[in-house]
């Protein structure tokens, strides 16, 4: 086993003093290479030990491995990123909460109020379900039809943006408090994310070609949010994953799978994609040990979705080491009041 040493070095002249730890030693690949899971475990320990301190994330695994130069360049980019509207140089929460269709518990889903409340409550990310219109525009809707949430009928792909904007939201939580809400465009949702420093967490719903995926990426990039956005793709729509990766080699991809996660899921899907992880249901996480173990073995965050109580979310964090949760109601101040300021 190789011998490793750390040499702490204090930096007093930069904005806020900090300490860097350099690992000195040798490994089978090169001077500073180690198992990715070792570095990820170290990152997790640092975050837990100093919850109010910004600690740069471990660079994502890439298909060609990370060289020492890659690691240095990517962390430097993170530290120097001053992109307007995204709180990158702030305490990075150990548990990242993503508002499901906005915080739909407080307002009708996928509406301006639901997204705004998510931002006001300090959610790390906001899930945006993207549908394409007949005239090639992009709007927010979990369903590919307007029947459930609007005072109309028919598929979104069959209507122009103007036609969709003529409809009114007539369903959802606390609808009586929000009587005149309209369908939200991708651009409008991104503006809210940027205003509150939320990371967009997008999922494609009715998009059927690579050109449309590129158009979505162009809109996100125009807002300066391309690398701050996570892109979720389900098991039934794998084309999106491969289109995304062919268009951009660095953006983070989340593969949502509701069953049968094995070591093969990692080696055949996640690893070839690079900078990717999988997400699975809370029930699967609790009932099966394999998905969690595969994530741990490869240094991946444990990600899940839960529309449940605060106690349910705390159970996932405390007993299953979950670090990314898509939720319709749980807020940062409720989950971790010792880290997040109470409103």
């Amino acid at each position: 086993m190789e011998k490793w040493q750390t040499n702490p070095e204090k930096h007093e002249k930069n904005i806020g003093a900090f300490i860097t730890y350099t690992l000195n030693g040798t490994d089978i690949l090169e001077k500073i290479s180690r198992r990715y899971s070792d570095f990820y475990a170290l990152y997790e320990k640092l975050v837990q030990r100093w919850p109010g301190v910004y600690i740069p994330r471990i660079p994502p695994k890439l298909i060609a491995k990370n060289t020492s130069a890659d690691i240095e360049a990517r962390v430097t980019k993170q530290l120097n990123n001053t992109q307007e509207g995204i709180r990158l140089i702030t305490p990075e929460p150990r548990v990242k909460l993503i508002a499901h269709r906005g915080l739909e518990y407080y307002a009708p889903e996928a509406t301006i109020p639901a997204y705004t409340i998510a931002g006001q409550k300090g959610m790390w990310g906001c899930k945006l379900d993207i549908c394409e219109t007949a005239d090639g525009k992009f709007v927010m809707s979990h369903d590919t039809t307007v029947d459930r949430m609007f005072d109309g009928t028919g598929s979104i792909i069959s209507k122009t943006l103007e036609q969709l904007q003529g409809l009114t939201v007539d369903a959802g939580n606390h609808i009586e408090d929000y009587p005149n809400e309209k369908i939200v465009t991708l651009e409008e949702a991104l503006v809210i994310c940027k205003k509150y420093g939320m990371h967009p967490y997008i999922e494609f719903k009715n998009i059927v070609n690579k050109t449309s995926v590129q158009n979505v990426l162009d809109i996100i990039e125009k807002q300066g949010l391309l690398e701050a956005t996570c892109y979720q793709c389900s098991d039934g729509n794998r084309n999106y994953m491969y289109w995304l990766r062919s268009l951009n080699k660095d953006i983070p991809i989340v593969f949502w799978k509701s069953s049968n996660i094995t070591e093969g899921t990692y080696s055949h899907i996640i690893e070839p994609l690079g900078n990717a992880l999988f997400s699975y249901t809370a029930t699967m996480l609790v009932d099966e040990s394999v998905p969690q173990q595969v994530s741990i073995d490869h240094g991946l965050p444990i990600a899940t979705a839960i529309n449940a109580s605060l106690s349910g979310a705390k159970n996932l964090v405390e007993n299953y080491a979950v670090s990314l949760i898509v939720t319709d109601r749980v807020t940062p101040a409720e989950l971790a009041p010792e880290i997040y300021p109470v409103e």
Side-chain angles (χ1 to χ4, degrees), residues 99-104 108-111 114-115 126-127 129 142 148:
H100 189 233
R101 311 176 201 173
L103 276 178
E104 60 172 311
E109 66 183 64
T111 59
Y115 296 143
C126 188
K127 189 165 186 292
D129 295 314
H142 174 270
R148 181 174 64 90

Side-chain angles (χ1 to χ4, degrees), residues 304-326:
T304 189
I306 178 173
N307 289 340
S309 64
L310 175 61
S311 61
K314 285 187 173 181
N315 176 52
L316 291 174
V317 173
E318 294 169 1
N319 298 317
Y320 297 93
V322 170
S323 58
L324 188 151
I325 301 176
V326 179

Side-chain angles (χ1 to χ4, degrees), residues 30-48:
E30 57 171 302
K31 184 177 179 181
I32 70 163
S33 294
R34 287 296 292 161
R35 282 175 50 121
Y36 187 83
S37 56
D38 293 344
F39 281 111
Y40 186 81
L42 173 62
Y43 168 79
E44 286 289 286
K45 289 293 185 184
L46 292 173
V47 171
Q48 293 174 32

